[in-house]
Amino acid sequence: MNILIQITYLVATILFIVGIKKLNRTQEARQGNILSAVAMLLAVLATLVESQLLTPIETFSCMLLGGAIGLVWARRVEMTQMPEMVAIFNGFGGAASLFVAFSDYWTRAVEQPSLSTDLITIISILLSVIIGGITFTGSLTAYGKLSGKVSGNAIVFSGQHMLNLVLLLAAVACGVLVAIETGSVTAMIVMGVISLVLGILVVIPIGGADMPVVISLLNSYSGMAACTTGFVLNNSVLIVTGALVGASGIILTQIMCKAMNRSLISVLLGGFGATSGGAAAGGSASDMVIKEVGVEEAAMIFDSASSVIVVPGYGMAVAQAQHVVREMMDLLEKKGINVRFAIHPVAGRMPGHMNVLLAESNVPYDKLIEMEEINDDFSNTDVVLVVGANDVVNPAARTNPASPIYGMPILNADKARTVIVSKRSMAAGYAGIENELFGYPNCLMLFGDAKSTLTKMVGELKEM
């Protein structure tokens, strides 16, 4: 039986690796999710059989209950709420590591103090508690910011970094006390509470368009917490999968940082996205001459074009306009017009948000082009349609050293012959600054709800 369990762990590990690898390509992402889900099922079943904690009926009942909850939740969540759902999942991972580590410590310190505990195990327990606690409350705070339950602005106060440092040192001191004296339950509880507080304090100063980086970083934390918990439980598949998630999360975080011209250390230290005077740096709407375009005129511009690039953003998700955008693409392609989608790495509220949104509306994967591949094509493009994107097309990132987004790689939408921006109003983007693009001579503003205005424009195109 032990050999069969180890073989199952090996198969699960291989499936996890292949599944994560497939997530790298949009065309294979769904298959990667399925393989990873099968791997998790095998790992859970093998662990339950090995530990003999539950009877087969109890195991099946728990899996049925958990699967039902997951299915209902997944079906009810809107596409606009996917970032919040990912944040919650990260939090659940952190909470699981925290509770498992504390439960194992309680067993060793209170219920069975005669058990021998080596240094590696106790260090693993401490890391699981600290990282798990920070991930749990940090993810809940991120969820609150994304859902609007907590202010999305950066919340900063004097001495914030010093307070974080003091709390971290206090947590380390408690950890040392626990390592020296295994029965120090009070020190363990204090360390757990400190980690929960640190999770909140690390995330609240993060604001603006920086949330995609936070989501990927917290995802990495949840993986690292799972990895350390694997050492606590002496479970090889948990160690491997946790390390995979932790490493891939860090790599993704680095990619996000590069896409925003940020440093990883600034994320780790907190205060990420907190900039002073950000709104003023981008200028004001009163300084710009705005040119508005109507639905009929916009349809005529698209009808006379030979090439179109669509730049999606979070506003498209809010308006749920992805389906009408797909319909517009189909209509334009029937007229012989080349249509592609430019995807910025941090568009939306989580990594890959726009890819998921457009895939849901059955936009072909080969139409989704990454920023590095498509940026040089904007200057040869007739029309660019910006739907709900803001900061990722703001030329201030190239031209205004005083702007908080200066140096951030952006999509060169302003270099196209004509830019049509579908937007509800002149309100600033998530970074809190005005968009210089709106005042450019080649930019036309199509005001109104994206779904409504684009539906009317598609109707006009059908009549042409």
Side-chain angles (χ1 to χ4, degrees), residues 228-435:
T228 54
T229 305
F231 282 101
V232 174
L233 300 177
N234 194 27
N235 188 297
S236 58
V237 73
L238 189 57
I239 295 172
V240 173
T241 53
L244 285 172
V245 174
S248 60
I250 283 292
I251 293 172
L252 182 58
T253 302
Q254 186 60 49
I255 293 173
M256 295 293 104
C257 290
K258 183 179 179 181
M260 301 184 71
N261 196 36
R262 306 281 191 175
S263 65
L264 181 57
I265 191 66
S266 66
V267 184
L268 298 174
L269 291 177
F272 190 54
T275 46
S276 59
S284 63
S286 60
D287 298 331
M288 298 187 291
V289 178
I290 305 300
K291 292 186 293 183
E292 188 174 352
V293 66
V295 171
E296 294 182 7
E297 185 182 353
M300 292 175 61
I301 293 173
F302 278 104
D303 189 61
S304 61
S306 61
S307 58
V308 172
I309 293 178
V310 180
V311 178
Y314 185 65
M316 185 178 74
V318 173
Q320 296 188 10
Q322 63 269 25
H323 295 287
V324 69
V325 168
R326 195 278 324 277
E327 185 181 357
M328 182 197 73
M329 177 198 74
D330 293 339
L331 190 59
L332 292 176
E333 288 188 332
K334 288 180 181 179
K335 294 175 177 287
I337 301 170
N338 181 32
V339 182
R340 292 176 295 169
F341 292 79
I343 308 298
H344 192 282
V346 294
R349 295 294 181 268
M350 70 175 185
H353 194 182
M354 294 301 103
N355 300 71
V356 173
L357 200 67
L358 293 169
E360 185 223 7
S361 61
N362 296 319
V363 173
Y365 296 131
D366 59 357
K367 292 287 184 180
L368 310 181
I369 315 297
E370 299 298 328
M371 178 178 66
E372 293 81 5
E373 299 178 29
I374 203 170
N375 246 355
D376 292 337
D377 295 344
F378 279 101
S379 57
N380 300 318
T381 301
D382 293 325
V383 183
V384 168
L385 175 63
V386 180
V387 189
N390 203 325
D391 303 317
V392 298
V393 293
N394 192 343
R398 292 195 311 260
T399 62
N400 188 354
S403 173
I405 65 170
Y406 181 72
M408 182 182 89
I410 63 168
L411 292 164
N412 297 330
D414 56 300
K415 295 184 178 181
R417 292 183 180 88
T418 303
V419 182
I420 297 179
V421 179
S422 176
K423 189 172 170 64
R424 286 180 180 271
S425 66
M426 287 297 296
Y430 205 46
I433 60 174
E434 297 293 343
N435 194 332

Side-chain angles (χ1 to χ4, degrees), residues 22 48 179 194 218 227 240 270 290 315 393 415 436:
K22 285 184 175 293
L48 290 174
I194 291 175
L218 289 170
C227 182
V240 173
I290 305 300
V393 293
K415 295 184 178 181
E436 291 183 1

Side-chain angles (χ1 to χ4, degrees), residues 49-71:
V49 170
E50 182 182 32
S51 60
Q52 297 182 345
L53 290 174
L54 302 175
T55 66
I57 295 178
E58 291 172 336
T59 300
F60 179 75
S61 300
C62 291
M63 291 177 61
L64 188 63
L65 177 61
I69 294 173
L71 181 63

